[in-house]
Amino acid sequence: KQEVTQIPAALSVPEGENLVLNCSFTDSAIYNLQWFRQDPGKGLTSLLLIQSSQREQTSGRLNASLDKSSGRSTLYIAASQPGDSATYLCAPRGGGATNKLIFGTGTLLAVQP
Amino acid sequence: NAGVTQTPKFQVLKTGQSMTLQCAQDMNHEYMSWYRQDPGMGLRLIHYSVGAGITDQGEVPNGYNVSRSTTEDFPLRLLSAAPSQTSVYFCASSSLGLAGTGELFFGEGSRLTVL
């Protein structure tokens, strides 16, 4: 059974800092891994998708890496802004016929102006 | 650009009542799923489907039924609502295999309160 852990659970940083969010998962036989952002009371917005054959993906100030063999992914946010404040969730997708996504409990990020 | 559409957005039920949460997607996705989100518990998978006529249980299926008669629709049924089913429910869909990237798209959520 896939288990996903995100560390830290909460993080507060001053504006402008670079930061790293960590995601670890127990079953390395994944199809892909997705990072999402969720604002309070809202739905989930997809940030980055990394296929199992890829090592990283970049979008603007965001960079996500994947080390499938060790069951780890990181989300790097450069030059953080108050608008980045949200909960960040990672979700590896199973590689078999079931193709389920299992979520971590997320990292709550607060960027102080 | 409809994407994934959930209705209703808000619902209040009494214990024992039944209801159906609707989910529709217009992206021709094979995969559809339902999650519930509770404080401190994160998102938990209720049921999912990999195509019309095919459904399977997720992590927390008890108290919920699903069916998939078309590619577009994946309704979630609560047969006899309980206060423990008070939650925010999200529907999500994606392509499978070589048909696309497998990126998961979410609806805006349905907030259900059971009194």
Side-chain angles (χ1 to χ4, degrees), chain A residues 1-2 31-32 34 36 38 41-44 46-47 49 51 89 93 97-105, chain B residues 31 35 37 40-43 45 48 50 57 59 90 94-98 100-104 106-108 111:
Chain A
K1 177 187 173 184
Q2 180 74 280
Y31 179 69
N32 61 31
Q34 223 168 322
F36 295 88
Q38 186 176 30
K42 303 292 186 182
L44 280 75
S46 178
L47 296 174
L49 171 70
Q51 301 295 347
L89 299 146
R93 183 162 210 165
T98 59
N99 283 275
K100 295 184 290 187
L101 268 86
I102 301 297
F103 280 82
T105 51
Chain B
Y31 179 88
Y35 290 87
Q37 187 174 38
M41 301 294 291
L43 278 143
L45 182 64
Y48 65 100
V50 297
Q57 297 180 348
E59 303 168 276
F90 289 99
S94 78
S95 60
L96 282 178
L98 299 178
T101 65
E103 183 176 5
L104 195 67
F106 276 80
E108 294 185 349
R111 186 175 297 273

Side-chain angles (χ1 to χ4, degrees), chain B residues 1 21 25 35 38 77 79-80 89 101 105 107 112 115:
Chain B
N1 296 335
L21 298 177
Q25 52 91 11
Y35 290 87
D38 304 289
R77 297 183 185 86
L79 297 179
S80 179
Y89 292 85
T101 65
F105 294 88
L112 175 66
L115 303 175

Side-chain angles (χ1 to χ4, degrees), chain A residues 2 4-6 21-25 27-28 30-36 46-54 56-57 64-68 71-75 89-94 100-102 104, chain B residues 101-104:
Chain A
Q2 180 74 280
V4 183
T5 303
Q6 290 189 244
L21 308 181
N22 297 291
C23 171
S24 61
F25 46 95
D27 185 352
S28 62
I30 64 170
Y31 179 69
N32 61 31
L33 185 142
Q34 223 168 322
W35 281 92
F36 295 88
S46 178
L47 296 174
L48 288 165
L49 171 70
I50 310 177
Q51 301 295 347
S52 62
S53 59
Q54 297 174 322
E56 64 180 277
Q57 279 287 340
S65 68
L66 175 64
D67 184 343
K68 205 174 72 162
R72 294 183 181 181
S73 178
T74 62
L75 179 67
L89 299 146
C90 75
R93 183 162 210 165
K100 295 184 290 187
L101 268 86
I102 301 297
Chain B
T101 65
E103 183 176 5
L104 195 67

